[in-house]
Amino acid sequence: MELATFIVSIISLIIMPLILIYLNSRTSKVLEENKIKTEYKVQTYKKIFEIFNAVLTKTKSNMWDAKLRIDLVTDLIKYAPDEIVKKYLEFWEKAKSGDPSKADLNIIYQDILLLIRKDLGYKKTKITKEEIIKMLLSENI
């Protein structure tokens, strides 16, 4: 019986560190993948805001260029959740139906801001659409 206990102890001393090393490497890999995915999301969301901000401020933007728009759509499909992709599609339908600078984007902009905020980790955000409007429309001091 003592020999069996001794063998189990030795095996445990050998196997446990190997299991811990394996789990650590898997966890590190998952964390690194999540970090990279989040960085791609942030870059994609920056592109969205460049378009929305250009439309809302009625400034010219090169984001209407077909290649840049296709790149954005590709990034959205790869990195954004369905709700954000659908809001972008709603925006694009309104924007392409006429002059994009005349599209009423207030509701879509508020929705997409909140959706992006939730996607980037603030799942239980308490910021409201009304507060977003107040922040966007506040005057410079």
Side-chain angles (χ1 to χ4, degrees):
M1 191 62 140
E2 289 180 21
L3 182 60
T5 304
F6 178 73
I7 291 173
V8 169
S9 297
I10 294 296
I11 291 173
S12 294
L13 288 173
I14 294 171
I15 292 178
M16 283 305 249
L18 293 175
I19 291 172
L20 291 174
I21 290 170
Y22 171 76
L23 290 175
N24 185 32
S25 69
R26 293 285 297 158
T27 303
S28 296
K29 184 177 178 182
V30 169
L31 289 173
E32 186 62 29
E33 288 171 357
N34 286 340
K35 180 181 174 186
I36 291 169
K37 186 177 178 183
T38 299
E39 182 58 35
Y40 283 128
K41 281 184 177 193
V42 168
Q43 294 304 318
T44 300
Y45 295 156
K46 282 182 181 180
K47 292 176 190 176
I48 288 176
F49 291 128
E50 286 177 16
I51 289 176
F52 274 68
N53 292 340
V55 171
L56 288 172
T57 59
K58 298 181 181 0
T59 58
K60 297 287 184 190
S61 172
N62 65 347
M63 293 305 291
W64 297 110
D65 177 70
K67 183 192 178 320
L68 294 174
R69 192 176 47 77
I70 290 169
D71 288 343
L72 172 61
V73 169
T74 303
D75 287 347
L76 282 170
I77 290 168
K78 290 191 290 189
Y79 306 117
D82 291 349
E83 298 87 6
I84 293 173
V85 173
K86 288 180 180 188
K87 278 295 167 187
Y88 177 80
L89 288 172
E90 184 180 337
F91 156 75
W92 187 247
E93 286 300 313
K94 283 187 175 191
K96 76 177 185 178
S97 66
D99 182 359
S101 64
K102 292 181 182 174
D104 181 16
L105 301 177
N106 290 327
I107 300 297
I108 297 172
Y109 193 69
Q110 296 162 28
D111 289 344
I112 210 161
L113 277 169
L114 289 175
L115 288 170
I116 288 173
R117 181 172 171 77
K118 288 178 182 178
D119 186 42
L120 291 177
Y122 299 96
K123 303 270 186 238
K124 297 180 180 180
T125 186
K126 298 200 187 310
I127 294 175
T128 65
K129 291 180 184 182
E130 292 77 21
E131 290 170 327
I132 290 173
I133 291 172
K134 286 178 187 176
M135 288 186 282
L136 290 172
L137 297 179
S138 65
E139 296 290 323
N140 292 337
I141 296 176

